[in-house]
Amino acid sequence: MKKIGQHIILILLLLTIPIVSSPDFDGTLSVFRVSPFQREFIRFVFVVIFFYVNLNLFLPKLYNRKKYVLFVICILICFGIMVFVPNYLTAENGMAGHPFPSQMQPPPIYSPGNIPPPMGERFPQKNFEPGNHISYGQMIFSSLLPFLFSFLSSLFIFRNIEKKELERSKAKAELLSLKYQLQPHFLFNILNSIYSLALFKSDDAPNGILKLSNVMRYVVQESSKDFVKLSQEIDYLKDYIALQLIRTDSSLDFSYTEIGETKDLQIAPFILVNFIENAFKYGFNAEEKSKIAVKLIIEENTLHFNVFNNIVNSTITDENSLKIGMKNTLEHLHHVYQGKYTFNTHHNGKTFEVDLKINL
């Protein structure tokens, strides 16, 4: 409600501009009876309306979704309305210069001895002289500058809003990633698993330490970046998976498939790890037969990411945290790849599958 009130106040202040700047303004509302002012005031109202329509409808629903043809058509229609409607509403036949009924003089009354003048001299012709009406060229030119100002200012504000939303979602993703990797129970479980391997002098212990080091380094160094190389993100996912597998046993049927070449493709960091985290949380239970499958396919500029798991662990202690993490990940995905991705989930109570396609 506070924002609505602020916008109403702003609109009222904007509508005072053509009033106080009019040369016909004498401190009263009589200026609204002047035809040229009426025309410009109506045009100014359309400028304000177009600003909000473009900001809240055309830009997010058409421009951002790459519906450029429909976007241009809507913009041109709005410009046509701004050009012709004010002139149509304030003058006969859509042309300015004709007086309103209140400004027209009653016809003269002639007595029998008073011969009326010829028809051509009976009424003034000044309203029909070429210099006293506005041509279509003048109508378009007088509307062009305010229209461009309204369009560019709404575009500028829209870009700033998008930028702030992206920064906010990025900050959430960074905090979420740091939380996943640095939370005490995660480190404790991984270090405890590596310690057990070291006690048995397993060859996997040094490799586990190396994977943990890689994950920590990646989180610290890459979390502040907008985009990273897809190859780096995949290496990070592999290290993360390797750490999770240290804590599992033979009851888990795990598969990882990677098809395609990363080339020079880039991706927003930490946008995929949450889905793998959830798969290990819900899909592994040492007392039941578990299955987790991660598939990553790269076709030209499209990344196809699929994660499947059996639901065998229903006693999640931090379920709310996982839900918040999924929500933040989807928000980040929407802000970074709006209109460039598809996301679907399949859940039947026994299995859960995430299917994500991103046009990088």
Side-chain angles (χ1 to χ4, degrees):
M1 291 297 295
K2 183 178 179 181
K3 286 188 176 180
I4 295 176
Q6 290 175 343
H7 282 289
I8 292 175
I9 294 173
L10 176 62
I11 291 172
L12 293 176
L13 290 175
L14 288 175
L15 292 180
T16 62
I17 294 177
I19 298 175
V20 298
S21 61
S22 173
D24 298 306
F25 180 63
D26 57 359
T28 66
L29 296 180
S30 60
V31 67
F32 282 94
R33 301 177 61 185
V34 180
S35 179
F37 171 80
Q38 291 173 338
R39 181 175 61 249
E40 295 306 317
F41 184 79
I42 293 174
R43 181 174 289 116
F44 199 84
V45 171
F46 281 135
V47 167
V48 175
I49 293 174
F50 172 73
F51 172 84
Y52 281 99
V53 171
N54 193 44
L55 179 63
N56 297 290
L57 182 62
F58 296 159
L59 289 171
K61 302 297 182 181
L62 300 179
Y63 181 80
N64 240 24
R65 296 180 182 179
K66 296 187 176 181
K67 298 180 181 179
Y68 297 130
V69 175
L70 186 57
F71 175 73
V72 171
I73 291 174
C74 290
I75 296 299
L76 291 177
I77 290 174
C78 289
F79 181 63
I81 292 173
M82 192 178 298
V83 170
F84 297 107
V85 172
N87 293 276
Y88 176 80
L89 294 177
T90 58
E92 297 176 358
N93 301 321
M95 301 301 292
H98 299 285
F100 278 91
S102 61
Q103 297 173 296
M104 296 177 65
Q105 299 295 326
I109 301 175
Y110 300 99
S111 61
N114 185 12
I115 301 175
M119 185 67 67
E121 302 176 6
R122 193 175 303 177
F123 299 102
Q125 300 296 315
K126 62 179 180 179
N127 288 323
F128 300 95
E129 294 176 4
N132 287 288
H133 70 268
I134 298 178
S135 67
Y136 289 115
Q138 290 174 310
M139 291 161 54
I140 293 173
F141 181 76
S142 62
S143 302
L144 183 60
L145 290 181
F147 180 82
L148 286 177
F149 175 79
S150 180
F151 175 80
L152 294 177
S153 58
S154 60
L155 179 62
F156 176 77
I157 293 175
F158 178 74
R159 288 301 189 193
N160 278 344
I161 293 174
E162 270 198 328
K163 184 179 179 181
K164 289 180 180 179
E165 288 291 335
L166 181 60
E167 290 174 352
R168 184 163 59 232
S169 65
K170 179 187 171 185
K172 284 184 178 180
E174 291 173 4
L175 290 174
L176 181 65
S177 178
L178 289 170
K179 174 183 162 221
Y180 278 147
Q181 312 310 332
L182 301 178
Q183 55 189 333
H185 78 265
F186 174 83
L187 288 175
F188 175 79
N189 290 335
I190 295 299
L191 291 174
N192 190 49
S193 299
I194 294 174
Y195 175 71
S196 299
L197 294 175
L199 284 179
F200 290 99
K201 297 183 179 180
S202 171
D203 294 336
D204 293 331
N207 187 51
I209 296 173
L210 178 62
K211 298 298 183 185
L212 180 60
S213 174
N214 290 341
V215 166
M216 295 297 101
R217 183 184 302 109
Y218 187 82
V219 170
V220 172
Q221 293 182 351
E222 308 300 330
S223 61
S224 61
K225 296 181 180 179
D226 294 329
F227 294 94
V228 297
K229 290 183 178 179
L230 179 59
S231 58
Q232 290 180 300
E233 185 72 8
I234 292 176
D235 289 340
Y236 159 70
L237 293 178
K238 290 178 180 177
D239 288 337
Y240 181 82
I241 290 171
L243 288 175
Q244 292 284 8
L245 291 176
I246 290 177
R247 303 167 51 223
T248 64
D249 53 29
S250 58
S251 64
L252 174 64
D253 177 13
F254 178 81
S255 65
Y256 174 83
T257 305
E258 182 182 333
I259 302 174
E261 298 181 0
T262 59
K263 299 179 182 178
D264 295 325
L265 295 175
Q266 292 189 324
I267 189 172
F270 312 116
I271 212 162
L272 304 175
V273 67
N274 178 252
F275 305 117
I276 297 176
E277 167 79 7
N278 285 355
F280 276 96
K281 285 283 187 180
Y282 288 100
F284 173 68
N285 188 337
E287 299 178 357
E288 297 185 43
K289 188 173 182 179
S290 310
K291 179 178 177 61
I292 299 175
V294 179
K295 185 182 293 185
L296 197 150
I297 302 173
I298 305 164
E299 295 178 344
E300 296 182 352
N301 294 331
T302 301
L303 171 67
H304 185 188
F305 183 70
N306 183 278
V307 181
F308 172 90
N309 64 272
N310 290 339
I311 301 176
V312 294
N313 189 1
S314 58
T315 57
I316 305 297
T317 58
D318 56 348
E319 185 173 357
N320 289 333
S321 175
L322 290 177
K323 290 181 179 179
I324 293 173
M326 179 68 76
K327 179 184 176 182
N328 290 341
T329 297
L330 293 178
E331 285 182 0
H332 187 50
L333 183 67
H334 176 73
H335 289 305
V336 178
Y337 295 106
Q338 186 177 21
K340 297 181 180 180
Y341 78 96
T342 59
F343 177 80
N344 296 291
T345 59
H346 306 281
H347 182 203
N348 60 12
K350 295 182 179 180
T351 64
F352 187 80
E353 183 177 7
V354 170
D355 192 78
L356 172 65
K357 289 184 179 179
I358 306 176
N359 183 8
L360 302 176

